[in-house]
């Protein structure tokens, strides 16, 4: 009670001392409410939530019935409805491994789980190796597909990027040239081109009768594309490590591999966590480009559903839903990166500077 | 090796080039086991380059260099064997900032010597006591003062049980009030019989601790003598000039 009163007194004190500041703040606050009020009306007070078809959309506001009716498709694409437990199980395993990311005691081990994850996911979702009715990859879609592409991309592009960054700094000219060529090639091409190449051009170059799954081709394309960016982020971190660190490690007789693993990389990667997560977030959003090669991720499913004659005119609700989903995942990644930085900070002073 | 076994470092006609600049112009220097050498000289005289050749951080281009009984080649041959017996302390400490003090001390013994963890930690704590900061074992380097960090760096080198210790201007990056605590640790180490080669401008330390003071200028050894002789009866004009400049304020 007393604390509350003191806080109020402080506000009043501030308003008296800085009247212009107080006034502009009030006007700003008013403008925000004034502008957001119609949005609130549209999205909540005038909106329809119940019903099963467009006849339920009578309120004049948003019609969330559309999102509710197509929710399962937004999540799973055209995956057979009677096998929804399989994607759900996969996501549960994925969530569990993400939970393990918070167990700092596991150290680097927790990252290994992510390397295994894509294979486990494929086993369950495709199913034929486990004796389940097979579901072809072109039926996978929605948020499920978005997650598959982004998690695979994230899990594989980081180690690949680290190798490329080390390769670019190698003393052996051949390795250095190959790394530079790889990085510059993939960074110089738009992702759309990569996806087109993967889905349209690549089959022409394959020997007759050999067919590589389209999803796999897209996955490889996206991963290599991202790893080129990752390599440059990691290289920035490597360059920020002082020469003295290499010399101290050498004087202690650590091998160059040990020096990299124990001394240089832990420091370099820590310094570029924001850049790494930035790349992850970019990748996550870029997955929606797979629509142009005929794959239906979350955004693709929303778009497809809103061209359905039954729901014409309600695409905005769908897009808002898709946008909100993307935002939630990206925001979570950004928060995790901050947590990781704080956890790895060397001192409490440094920790306080991170907000 | 045909060198006498009680020579820790034997250096004959050592030359080192950086592109077109000759940093070392034929250095001859013998360091006996247990001997304490202080190397001084103006900046750019090649003293750091010389000491960095001793553990293979720089590779010499000509001449012969035998350290701890192993011949060092011009392409770094033998460097691993040499580093097993040689510890080094740097001007900028070069502690590993992402590891605690204790982890800094234990890293190389764990991964290079592969001894049991318990032994290594006991030994590390023993050395931390010797440099008088056992209570800082679980802090990070950034939380310590410069003097404390340099003492940790000395302890880290000692944890590898070296026979020879190299010091490359260990007090040059320190605030004046911290220099003494580092020099005290170095003096104690010298009293324990460790072979030491120190590049330093601390003339007081040289006078008290060194068996021989080596003065270098322009990539050459100008004069090498026991401290009493070196400071009181310097032979060469260059040495006299250098001493006049260094001792002006002390």
């Amino acid at each position: 009670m007393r604390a509350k009163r003191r806080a109020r007194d402080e506000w009043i004190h501030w308003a008296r001392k800085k009247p212009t500041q107080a006034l502009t703040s009030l006007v700003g606050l008013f403008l925000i409410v004034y502008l957001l009020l119609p949005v609130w009306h549209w999205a909540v007070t005038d909106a329809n939530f119940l019903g099963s078809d467009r006849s339920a959309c009578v309120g004049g506001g948003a019609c969330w019935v559309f999102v509710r009716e197509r929710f399962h498709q937004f999540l799973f694409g055209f995956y057979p409805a009677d096998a929804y437990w399989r994607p759900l199980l996969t996501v549960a395993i994925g969530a569990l491994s993400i939970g393990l990311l918070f167990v700092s005691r596991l150290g680097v081990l927790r990252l290994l789980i992510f390397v295994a994850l894509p294979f486990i996911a494929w086993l369950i979702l495709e199913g034929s190796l486990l004796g389940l009715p097979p579901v072809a990859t072109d039926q996978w879609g929605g948020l499920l597909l978005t997650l598959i592409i982004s998690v695979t991309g994230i899990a594989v592009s980081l180690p690949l990027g680290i190798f490329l960054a080390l390769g670019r700094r190698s003393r052996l000219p051949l390795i250095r040239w190959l790394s530079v060529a790889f990085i510059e090639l993939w960074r110089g091409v738009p992702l759309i081109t990569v996806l087109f190449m993967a889905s349209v051009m690549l089959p022409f170059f394959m020997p007759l009768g050999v067919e590589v799954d389209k999803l796999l081709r897209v996955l490889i394309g996206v991963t290599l594309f991202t790893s080129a960016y990752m390599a440059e982020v990691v290289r920035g971190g490597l360059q920020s490590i002082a020469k003295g660190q290499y010399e101290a490690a050498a004087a202690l007789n650590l091998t160059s591999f040990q020096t990299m693993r124990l001394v240089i990389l832990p420091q370099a990667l820590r310094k570029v966590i924001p850049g790494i997560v930035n790349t992850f977030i970019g990748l996550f959003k870029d997955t929606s480009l797979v629509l142009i090669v005929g794959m239906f991720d979350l955004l693709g499913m929303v778009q497809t559903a809103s061209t359905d004659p039954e729901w014409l005119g309600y695409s905005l609700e769908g897009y808002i839903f898709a946008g909100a989903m993307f935002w939630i995942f990206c925001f979570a990644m950004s928060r995790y990166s901050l947590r990781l930085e704080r956890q790895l900070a060397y001192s409490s002073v440094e920790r306080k500077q991170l907000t | 090796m045909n060198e006498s076994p009680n020579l820790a470092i034997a250096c004959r006609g050592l030359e080192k080039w950086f592109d077109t600049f000759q940093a070392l112009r034929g250095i001859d220097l013998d360091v006996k086991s247990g001997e304490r050498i202080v190397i001084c000289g103006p900046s750019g005289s090649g003293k750091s380059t010389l000491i960095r050749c001793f553990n293979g951080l720089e590779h010499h281009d000509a001449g012969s260099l035998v350290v701890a009984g192993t011949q060092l080649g011009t392409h770094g041959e033998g460097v691993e064997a040499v580093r097993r017996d040689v510890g080094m302390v740097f001007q900028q400490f070069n502690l590993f900032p992402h590891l605690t003090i204790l982890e800094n001390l234990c890293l190389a013994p764990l991964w290079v010597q592969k001894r049991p963890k318990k032994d290594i930690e006991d030994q590390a704590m023993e050395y931390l006591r010797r440099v008088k900061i056992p209570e800082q074992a679980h802090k990070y380097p950034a939380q310590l003062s410069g003097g404390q960090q340099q003492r940790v760096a000395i302890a880290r080198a000692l944890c590898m049980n070296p026979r020879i210790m190299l010091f490359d201007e260990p007090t040059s990056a320190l605030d004046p009030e911290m220099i003494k605590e580092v020099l005290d640790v170095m003096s104690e180490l010298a009293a324990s019989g460790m072979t030491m080669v120190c590049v330093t401008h601390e003339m007081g330390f040289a006078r008290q601790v060194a068996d021989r003071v080596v003065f270098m200028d322009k990539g050459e050894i100008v004069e090498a003598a026991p401290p009493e002789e070196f400071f009181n009866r310097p032979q060469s004009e260059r040495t006299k000039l250098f001493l006049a400049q260094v001792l002006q304020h002390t």
Side-chain angles (χ1 to χ4, degrees), chain A residues 242-255 258 261-264 266-267 270 345-348 351, chain B residues 52 55 57 79-80 83-84 86 88 90 94-99 107-108 111-112 114 140 143 156-157 160:
Chain A
K243 201 166 127 244
Q245 293 289 306
Y246 291 91
E247 290 181 350
L252 289 167
N253 230 349
L254 293 168
T255 64
Q258 288 170 336
R261 198 196 128 188
L262 302 167
V263 177
I264 306 301
Q267 295 182 58
R270 176 192 164 277
Y346 307 144
S347 69
S348 50
R351 213 163 282 152
Chain B
R52 287 160 60 86
N55 74 341
L57 283 183
V79 72
E80 195 194 330
R83 285 175 185 164
R84 235 175 272 152
V86 179
M88 188 164 198
F90 299 86
N94 295 347
L95 294 178
F96 305 131
H98 61 300
L99 301 176
L107 185 75
W111 289 86
V112 179
K114 300 189 168 64
Y140 285 93
Q143 294 166 287
R156 180 176 70 176
M160 293 294 278

Side-chain angles (χ1 to χ4, degrees), chain B residues 57-76:
Chain B
L57 283 183
E58 305 285 356
H59 301 159
H60 58 280
D61 296 313
S64 102
L65 178 58
V66 178
V67 179
T70 303
Q71 178 101 38
L72 271 168
T74 48
H75 293 95

Side-chain angles (χ1 to χ4, degrees), chain A residues 200-241:
Chain A
V200 184
M201 296 294 284
L202 215 57
F204 285 121
F205 298 117
M206 289 283 177
L208 217 63
V210 176
E211 206 176 317
V212 180
D213 188 89
K214 185 157 93 175
L215 176 63
L216 186 61
R217 281 180 273 146
V218 165
L219 278 176
I220 292 172
V222 167
T223 304
L224 296 184
F225 181 84
T226 312
S227 62
Y229 281 88
M230 196 59 77
E232 290 298 280
V233 172
V234 173
R235 188 166 69 99
L238 289 174
Q239 271 169 352
S240 72
I241 306 299

Side-chain angles (χ1 to χ4, degrees), chain B residues 2-249:
Chain B
N2 51 6
E3 312 288 339
S4 90
N6 62 348
L7 269 191
I9 300 171
C11 170
R12 296 276 176 282
L14 208 65
E15 290 183 24
K16 169 74 187 170
W17 294 78
F18 293 110
D19 291 326
T20 55
F21 173 75
Q22 188 169 10
L24 298 178
R25 299 166 181 268
I27 302 287
D28 295 309
L29 181 68
D30 282 345
V31 180
K32 291 196 277 294
S33 254
E35 200 177 12
R36 276 92 55 168
I37 304 275
V38 163
I39 303 177
C40 60
S43 65
S45 60
K47 47 196 192 319
S48 277
T49 306
L50 177 64
I51 201 174
R52 287 160 60 86
C53 283
F54 289 167
N55 74 341
L57 283 183
E58 305 285 356
H59 301 159
H60 58 280
D61 296 313
S64 102
L65 178 58
V66 178
V67 179
T70 303
Q71 178 101 38
L72 271 168
T74 48
H75 293 95
E77 299 91 338
V79 72
E80 195 194 330
V82 165
R83 285 175 185 164
R84 235 175 272 152
D85 288 319
V86 179
M88 188 164 198
V89 174
F90 299 86
Q91 182 178 356
Q92 301 294 342
F93 329 138
N94 295 347
L95 294 178
F96 305 131
H98 61 300
L99 301 176
T100 65
I101 300 308
L102 190 61
E103 288 167 343
N104 262 280
L105 264 59
C106 297
L107 185 75
L110 270 174
W111 289 86
V112 179
Q113 298 181 334
K114 300 189 168 64
R115 290 185 284 142
K117 196 172 178 203
K118 178 83 175 62
D119 287 8
I120 292 171
E121 284 187 355
D122 289 348
Q123 188 202 20
M125 285 311 294
E126 178 53 37
Y127 278 121
L128 280 182
R129 270 189 287 277
R130 266 175 67 178
V131 300
K132 301 177 189 70
I133 33 177
E135 70 283 359
Q136 315 283 6
H138 298 289
K139 288 191 183 166
Y140 285 93
Q143 294 166 287
L144 269 55
S145 73
Q148 290 173 325
Q149 289 191 48
Q150 193 59 297
R151 284 186 278 154
V152 171
I154 295 173
R156 180 176 70 176
L158 290 174
C159 279
M160 293 294 278
N161 308 315
R163 286 164 51 199
I164 304 166
M165 282 286 285
L166 308 175
F167 293 84
D168 189 2
E169 305 205 25
T171 55
S172 301
L174 294 176
D175 290 336
E177 73 270 21
M178 293 170 185
I179 291 178
K180 187 178 175 296
E181 63 189 53
V182 172
L183 291 181
D184 284 348
V185 166
M186 289 168 64
S187 301
E188 276 170 42
L189 189 63
S192 76
M194 176 69 75
T195 310
M196 290 166 66
V197 180
C198 314
V199 171
T200 181
H201 296 296
E202 298 298 330
M203 290 301 127
F205 175 79
R207 210 187 275 269
Q208 284 162 22
V209 176
D211 296 314
R212 247 190 316 157
V213 183
V214 173
F215 174 66
M216 284 182 72
D217 191 20
K218 301 198 174 76
E220 292 168 332
I221 292 181
V222 178
E223 195 161 344
E228 198 265 337
E229 207 174 306
F230 181 84
F231 288 108
N232 299 336
R233 292 179 297 281
Q235 303 293 309
S236 107
E237 286 307 312
R238 278 195 276 177
T239 315
K240 284 177 194 163
L241 184 66
F242 175 76
L243 284 177
Q245 283 163 346
V246 174
L247 299 177
Q248 210 168 32
H249 300 290

Side-chain angles (χ1 to χ4, degrees), chain A residues 185-199:
Chain A
L185 180 75
W186 286 92
R187 263 196 331 162
V189 199
L191 183 56
I192 294 196
T193 316
V194 173
L195 293 174
F196 267 130
M197 284 294 283
S199 74

